[in-house]
Amino acid sequence: MNETDLTGIVAEHIDAINAADTDRAVATFAEDAYVNDNRREFVGIDAIRRWVAKEMVGDKVTIEVREVFDHYGDTVVRGAYDGTFDRTDSARRDCPDELLQRA
């Protein structure tokens, strides 16, 4: 793993989410993109737009980047997520507590 700077489309995506800008966030996905969020699948730009509007922008999600590195050509971002999303036991069933606590 090599540490790297956050640039390009990944940086644009995080900036758009933090700015609560649905259009900018959706523009970072390809037309045939696929999102897996908590074992739920969103396929295609229309489904992703609804997901971003409701569950990212609607839940006021922000991402505080903690670490960025290159892993065999893929950019990996570790960050702290905050927002008004569901933090109940059913939502966190398979997620370690330290990933869901507020920073």
Side-chain angles (χ1 to χ4, degrees):
M1 292 184 296
N2 298 319
E3 282 204 29
T4 187
D5 292 326
L6 187 60
T7 61
I9 199 73
V10 177
E12 176 60 25
H13 177 78
I14 292 171
D15 287 344
I17 294 299
N18 288 341
D21 188 329
T22 299
D23 291 334
R24 276 181 50 214
V26 172
T28 64
F29 290 92
E31 287 292 322
D32 61 348
Y34 163 87
V35 170
N36 182 306
D37 179 37
N38 196 28
R39 298 185 184 168
R40 295 172 303 138
E41 298 178 356
F42 303 92
V43 180
I45 206 72
D46 293 333
I48 290 171
R49 175 177 292 284
R50 289 188 298 272
W51 171 75
V52 168
K54 181 176 186 271
E55 299 191 32
M56 299 301 281
V57 173
D59 285 344
K60 299 174 179 58
V61 170
T62 58
I63 305 167
E64 178 190 335
V65 175
R66 300 274 176 93
E67 182 181 18
V68 179
F69 57 93
D70 177 86
H71 184 70
Y72 298 103
D74 291 327
T75 300
V76 177
V77 178
R78 291 187 177 144
Y81 284 67
D82 200 6
T84 59
F85 51 87
D86 185 2
R87 296 171 191 260
T88 62
D89 287 339
S90 63
R92 54 190 277 171
R93 175 178 356 155
D94 297 322
C95 197
D97 286 343
E98 63 270 15
L99 297 180
L100 293 173
Q101 294 176 353
R102 293 181 191 263

